[in-house]
Every structure is written in C-alpha cells, then in structure tokens.
C-alpha cells in the first residue's frame, strides 16, 4: 500500500447492474449530469445546484484527504425503454439459444479432438437455432395464414360475421391477409438483427477467440463477423418455409404445375440455407481454411440481397397463385411437426456430442472444489437449448390458442401436434404445483428445526458478534440467499428434465398415433390455460414496459441477462451491450490515466461486476506497467463465483479470475453479503470459523491459490478475508457523519455501508485510515466449534 502524494486523486467509475438505476442513485447524489457518452452509454457525475459537474466526497487515505471524482456509467438504455426494446422480450427463446453457445465447455489449447468436438457443437447449435427460427415463423403463419385467412375467412363460415362474403370471395384478399402479417414479422426480425451499438475506436487489443480457454475473464467476448450471413440465411429459410405452406408443405408435391414450380424453388432455397448454416463456422474460433472460407466469399452483400429478394418474391408469387384459396391448409401440420421433431433430434445429438467434450474440458477444472465446478459438469448447453426449443414451441402454440379464442373460433382445428404441446405444458404445470407443496413444507420444517437447534451459520454469529440482536433478522436472509445461489441451477435442470420427459412421452404417442386417454383431457385444458396465460402475460408485460419506465426496468431483467452475449448461434437477437460497454469503460479509464497522478477504480454492482472485470482484463492487456498499477477493481454483490464461472466456463473461468487477481493483487476488492441472493463470495471459498476466527481458501495477491490468513475486522465491522469484505447485514450503524440504511439490505445499497470508502482506497492502491489497515488482530467473539460455510 502506498501513501498518497500531493497530486494524487482517485476516480471512482461505477457501473450498475440488472434492473438499471437512476443516475442520481448511481453516483449517490441529489442530482447528476452527463459528462461523456453518446446518450445510450452515458457517463454521469454528481451535479451542483447549477447542474455543473461537482467533485465527489473526499477520500481519506493514510490520514490525508485525497480528492475523489465519482462517475457512473449508465447502460440501461441499451436494454429497456420504448416499444422496440420492450418487444425484445418476445425473442427470449432465440436469446436462450444464442446464450447456449457461450455455455459450451472450453476447448483446451492444442487438443485436436476437443477442437473437432467444438466445431461439431457450434455447427449443431447454429442449425438448431435456424430450425427454431423456422418453427416460430411457421407457427406465426399457422395463425395468420391457416387459422385466420384459410379457415376463419372462408366463404360461408360463421367466424368473424362482420366480414362480408363479397370480401371473403374477392381474389387475393385472403392470401394477402394471411401472408402480410408473416412478412411483417420477418421484416421486424430483420430490423432487430440489424441493430448494433456503435462504439468509438478503442486502443484496446483485439480480444481472444470464443469457445477457447482464456487467460483473463471476458477477453473472448467478440462480435461474430458471420452475423450478416447468418441473418440472411435465417430469413431466407423462414421465407422458404412460409412459401411451402400454401402449396402443401415440404413433403407433398402439388398437383398444379405452377404450385409445383414454387414448391421446387422453395425447397432449393431452404436446402441452400440449411447447408450454408452447417458449413459456415466461426472464423475466429476455427481454422480459416475450412469450407466456410469460400462460403463467406460467396455470401457477400449482393448475394444476400438477391437471396432475400428471391425469398420475398417467392412468397408473393405463391400468395398470388392461391385463387381460390382452400378452406384449410394441409401442409401446416406436417411442417410444424417435422420442424419440432428435427429440433428435438438436434438437441439430443448435441447432448451426446457434449459428453466427450465436457469430459475433455474437465481437466481445466480438475482439482477445484465441487461448489466451483461448472454446472452439470460443463454440459449445461444441452438443457438450455432444450428449454429454448420447448419455450419457443409453447409460445407458438399459446399464440395460436389465444388468437383462436379472441376471434371466437373455438371450433376451428389447429395442427394435431399442438395437442401434445398442451398436454406437455399442462402436465408440467400440475407436476410443478404438486412438487411445490412438499418442497415448501420441507423447507419450512428444516428452517424451524435449524432455528430450534440454535446452530446458525457460524459466520453470521461472527459478523454480528458486537450486536447479537440482529441475528434473528440476518439468519433467515442468509439461508434464503444461500439456498438460491446453491440450487438455482438444480431448479432449472429439474424443470427442463420434466419438460423433456413429457416431450419424449408426447412424441412417442404422436408417432404411434395414440389418442390421449380420457383422464388426460383435463391436463390438456390446463395446458391451454397455461400457454394462453403465458402469451397474455408476456404481451401485457411488453405493453406496460413500453408505457412505464419502471415496468420497463423490471422486464429488462430478461434483456439484461440474455443481451449480454454477442450474436453467435442465433443472429436474430437483441444487440449485445457488452460489446459497447466494455471497450467504452476501458477507453474512459485510459483517458483518466493520462494524468500520472490519477488512480482509477472500476466499481461494478451485480451484472456490472462482470463488465468491469472484463474491462479490467482488456486494460491489463494494453496498458504499460506504471498505468496498470493505477487501476483497481471493486466487485459489489457479484455473481462472479457462484454463477458465471459455473454457467460459462469458457468465458469467465475460475482460472481466469485467479489470473486477474494475480495481475491486480490487493487492488481487487469484493463487497459481499451473505443475505444477497445474487452476489456472494468472489475470491474466497471453503470458509469456516475455528476458535472464533474466520478462515478460508482463496486467491492470494501473488496470483496463487491456497489457505488465507485469518480474517480481520475492519473499523466498519466487516470481516476481511483475503480480498472479500463480508458486510454485516443489517448494517451495524448508524455511523456519525455517514448515510445509514436500517434493516436487511440484501442486494441493495452497498454504497451506504461504511466499508465502501475503505475498499475504494484499497483498490486504488492507497493505505486506508484505521487500525485494521495496520494489521491489528481481529475482535474475537466467544469461541465456537469450527464449521464449514459454503
């Protein structure tokens, strides 16, 4: 630790997390003003009464006052606000499929079999994403083209009696009503996939390739240059699929010659799109001389425009040839079922390929404690992709059911494949409700037993040793948060397993053309209600989010988590904000570091902690040594241990975090609360209390991993173990001259804790004031038997 010089100042650059925040709350001020940015990525500072940028509160270090500038980076405008961003939630199945790519197990460098398995996994993921696009577009066509135009508006039908018969019989009216909404939906998908956040040229070096083991966290978050080609292929496949529906589907050769010509052209376009997606591999993650090289040359901008134009012309031509339009479309049933079956087969095949890939990648985390290893042994991509497929199919079926109810056409038939879907979701809802009762009962009995036994977590006792009256409020919050962090992935896996098991049964019965027994009829009704309610709730959330900013931030949780990832497996997803935030944070930090007396501390809360860790990694790869020593990181309420390394081991691995700790040394600090369900420990694990001292294993300042010295107690009451600062919650205050918030804080208001200023000084490489900085022994409570904390 250094003593501050006369020219030393500290810039504290804060980054918020999910749900967004107001600029004033981010910089802890009454008012705030923009000082940089482009209006989408905003850099704000506290403002005085004349709305001029004002300095932050003075930081005390080494007994001297140090000027501090508090800045905040606002990125919530990239995920919420307005109709367009609110509607992004409707693409959640696509976002899940894209996120599954980033959950692939990391490829050990130099392992040829692992490289081939990675290539196969990426190709299968991209093909599954293509089929998901085709499935959702086909289900939209089932609603507008089959249910509404062909059946409901057929001459002589009682559906929608306000529509006169002369309009129903007018040539091209019904095909136009059926095809125009689908073309509009495809246009919306195209517009969304073209959105990309602009970033100023950054001096940072190019990050490393995706799906390859990285040395520092997040350095393989890169934009895929294949995205424009993938986008065009997805849209061409969707247009070709829509063109096949009016002429009987892909498995039926039409009788009329003109329909046969359209059928053949649509199949050719569809086959070209599928083959191109399979052969087009990511150039940054595979060998550039592979077959995808000539595909990138062939799929240039003009080729893509020609293919899209052919697809649109094909759909228009098919619609113009439909006179008279039949009262029902025979191709929708087989097309929907074939796409669903192919998608299920791809999920199964990907799951099989991932088994050896995960076993090979296992060597990268061998020796780590069980609580730090990747979820499902690195096999998490398969269940996430399965969830995306099931959710996409369920939303499509729910949309058709909801529209049929809205137009009062309950007697109109839907594709027979929708019956197993309703049974699946109905049975899953019943099973979930049935399982919830014993789980809640067990949790209540377990919690009562723990309270009665008077054996709470020993770390809670140690934190609140100076004020035991806070234990009744702190202990239940610790248990709830611990349970959520430890078992969230188990809940996701269990839900996916139930849905997959139901899918297997439904598929087997459908293949054997077995009608469901009478006792399952109520389950189908429950499924109809569940799917209808799901679609209605999602549309209502989108509507409220577009009208009310607060509701938009709530819905933005989905976007914040899903839109973090660059477009890889699926190109039709909202733009990735990480590709803009990370380089802009690095550029802002580099700008401040031009002043040799300035030290910059990147402080990230929740999801923002992942962004600042990636930004720090890029800075460490580009700055010279004197500048590197003036960069620090504070992670607050961070999921950087229990979530990201376990879900995305190829992006934010445990070893990359250890390398980051070795690069930053004591200039990386983490504020932790055991009551926070989102943010737990970051740099320590296997904590235990022995003889009134908190011990544990974690990252050492020299970059090694091993046992740490016993925790010391800071002046604000926090227990400092290694680089983790465990805060008592409820806080121990009030502290004279400082803001204080009573009650259990959980995931909120970390900046109000008296430990905040101390960790900023430590992360800046300065010696904070207080006896704990000098290494005085901790305040010990009554000794108890040691007990491991997870």
């Amino acid at each position: 630790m250094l003593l501050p010089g006369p020219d030393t100042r500290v810039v504290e650059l804060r980054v918020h997390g999910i749900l967004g925040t107001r600029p004033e709350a981010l910089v802890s001020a009454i008012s705030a003003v923009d000082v940089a940015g482009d209006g989408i990525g905003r850099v704000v500072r506290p403002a005085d009464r004349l709305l001029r940028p004002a300095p932050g509160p003075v930081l005390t270090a080494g007994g001297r006052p140090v000027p501090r500038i508090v800045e905040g980076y606002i990125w919530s405008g990239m995920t919420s606000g307005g109709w367009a961003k609110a509607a992004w939630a409707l693409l959640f199945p696509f976002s899940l499929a894209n996120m599954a790519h980033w959950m692939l197990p990391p490829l050990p460098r130099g392992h040829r079999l692992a490289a081939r398995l990675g290539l196969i996994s990426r190709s299968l993921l991209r093909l599954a994403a293509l089929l998901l696009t085709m499935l959702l577009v086909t289900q939209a066509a089932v609603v507008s083209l089959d249910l509404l135009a062909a059946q409901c508006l057929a001459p002589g039908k009682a559906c929608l009696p306000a529509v006169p018969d002369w309009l129903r019989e007018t040539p091209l009216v019904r095909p136009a009503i059926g095809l125009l909404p689908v073309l509009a939906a495809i246009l919306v998908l195209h517009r969304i996939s073209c959105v990309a956040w602009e970033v100023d040229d950054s001096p940072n070096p190019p990050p490393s390739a995706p799906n390859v083991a990285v040395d520092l966290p997040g350095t393989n978050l890169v934009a895929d240059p294949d995205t424009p080609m993938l986008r065009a292929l997805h849209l061409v496949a969707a247009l070709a699929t829509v063109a096949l529906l009016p002429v009987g589907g892909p498995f039926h050769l039409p009788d009329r010659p003109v329909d046969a010509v359209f059928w053949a052209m649509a199949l050719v376009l569809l086959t070209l799109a599928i083959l191109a997606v399979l052969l087009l591999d990511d150039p940054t993650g595979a060998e550039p001389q592979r077959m995808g090289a000539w595909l990138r040359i062939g799929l240039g901008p003009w080729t893509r425009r020609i293919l899209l134009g052919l697809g649109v012309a094909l759909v228009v031509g098919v619609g113009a040839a439909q006179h008279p339009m039949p009262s029902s479309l025979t191709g929708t049933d087989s097309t929907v079922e074939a796409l669903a079956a192919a998608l299920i087969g791809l999920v199964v095949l990907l799951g099989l390929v991932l088994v050896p890939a995960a076993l090979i990648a296992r060597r990268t985390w061998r020796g780590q404690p069980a609580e730090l290893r990747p979820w499902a042994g690195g096999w998490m991509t398969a269940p996430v992709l399965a969830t995306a497929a099931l959710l996409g199919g369920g939303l499509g079926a729910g949309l058709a059911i909801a529209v049929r109810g809205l137009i009062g056409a309950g007697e109109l038939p839907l594709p027979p494949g929708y019956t197993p879907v309703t049974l699946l979701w109905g049975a899953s809802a019943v099973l979930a409700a049935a399982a919830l009762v014993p789980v809640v009962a067990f949790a209540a009995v377990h919690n009562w037993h723990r309270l009665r036994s008077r054996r709470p977590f020993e770390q809670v006792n140690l934190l609140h040793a100076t004020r035991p009256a806070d234990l009744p409020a702190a202990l239940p919050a610790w248990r709830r948060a611990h349970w959520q962090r430890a078992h969230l992935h188990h809940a996701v896996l269990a839900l996916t397993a139930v849905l997959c098991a139901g899918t297997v049964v439904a598929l087997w019965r459908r293949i054997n053309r077995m009608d469901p027994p009478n006792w399952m009829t109520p389950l189908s009704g429950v499924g109809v209600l569940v799917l209808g309610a799901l679609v209605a709730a999602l549309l209502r959330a989108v509507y409220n989010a577009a009208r009310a900013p607060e509701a938009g931030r709530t819905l933005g949780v989905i976007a914040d988590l899903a839109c973090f990832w660059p477009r890889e497996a699926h190109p039709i997803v909202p733009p990735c904000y990480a590709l803009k935030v990370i380089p802009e944070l690095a550029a802002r930090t580099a700008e401040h570091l031009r002043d040799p007396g300035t030290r910059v501390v990147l402080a990230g809360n929740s999801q923002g902690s992942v962004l600042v860790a990636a930004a720090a990694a890029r800075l460490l790869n580009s700055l010279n040594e004197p500048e590197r020593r003036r960069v620090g990181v504070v992670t607050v309420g961070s999921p950087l241990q229990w979530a990201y390394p376990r879900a995305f081991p190829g992006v934010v691995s445990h070893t990359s975090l250890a390398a980051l700790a070795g690069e930053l040394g004591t200039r990386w600090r983490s504020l932790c609360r055991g009551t926070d369900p989102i943010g737990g420990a970051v740099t320590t694990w296997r904590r235990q209390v022995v003889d009134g001292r908190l011990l544990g294993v974690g990252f050492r300042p020299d970059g090694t991993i091993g046992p740490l010295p016993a925790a010391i107690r800071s002046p604000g009451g926090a227990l400092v173990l290694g680089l983790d600062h465990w805060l008592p919650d409820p806080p121990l205050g009030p502290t004279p001259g400082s803001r204080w918030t009573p009650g259990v804080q959980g995931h909120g208001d970390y900046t109000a804790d008296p430990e905040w200023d101390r960790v900023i000084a430590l992360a800046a490489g300065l010696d904070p004031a207080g006896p704990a900085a000098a290494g005085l022994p901790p305040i010990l409570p009554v000794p108890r038997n040691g007990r491991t904390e997870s």
Side-chain angles (χ1 to χ4, degrees), residues 1-4 61-62 599 629 664-669 701 720 722-723 725 758-769 772-775:
M1 294 298 173
L2 301 177
L3 293 177
R599 297 173 176 269
R629 293 179 181 177
L664 293 172
T666 58
R667 300 191 310 279
W668 182 9
R669 298 286 165 164
V720 184
L723 305 176
H725 294 239
R758 185 169 182 270
V759 297
I760 295 298
L762 288 169
L766 302 177
D767 186 11

Side-chain angles (χ1 to χ4, degrees), residues 475-513:
L475 184 58
W478 268 72
R479 288 174 178 159
R480 287 192 300 269
H482 167 71
W483 190 93
Q484 293 181 42
R485 294 192 301 266
H487 301 294
L488 175 64
H489 67 290
H490 292 148
V492 173
L493 290 173
L495 177 61
T496 305
V498 170
L499 290 173
C500 290
T503 301
V504 171
V505 174
L507 188 62
W508 178 75
R509 297 184 67 89
R510 179 60 184 160
I511 292 174
N512 292 277
R513 301 193 178 279

Side-chain angles (χ1 to χ4, degrees), residues 599-675:
R599 297 173 176 269
V600 180
V601 176
L602 294 165
N605 186 346
S606 185
Q607 183 79 355
S609 65
V610 185
L611 295 169
V612 301
R618 298 189 70 175
L619 286 166
L620 293 173
N621 284 332
S622 60
L623 299 176
N624 57 42
E625 185 60 27
E627 291 174 334
R628 288 156 60 102
R629 293 179 181 177
R630 292 188 283 125
V631 176
V633 170
V634 173
T635 50
V636 182
S638 174
L640 272 175
Q641 183 183 102
W642 72 270
Y644 273 82
R646 306 188 67 189
F648 310 99
V651 182
V652 187
S653 65
H654 182 73
T655 54
S656 69
L657 292 176
L660 181 64
E663 293 286 346
L664 293 172
T666 58
R667 300 191 310 279
W668 182 9
R669 298 286 165 164
S670 182
L671 289 179
C672 316
R673 288 190 184 125
T675 57

Side-chain angles (χ1 to χ4, degrees), residues 238-264:
L239 290 168
T241 306
V242 173
L244 286 170
L245 296 179
V247 295
F251 308 108
H252 173 72
L253 179 62
D255 297 329
R256 295 196 308 168
V258 63
D259 289 343
V261 172
F262 287 132
W263 178 81

Side-chain angles (χ1 to χ4, degrees), residues 712-732:
I712 61 174
R713 191 180 297 275
S714 72
L719 287 176
V720 184
L721 178 64
L723 305 176
D724 284 350
H725 294 239
W726 287 91
L727 308 180
D729 192 22
L732 298 182

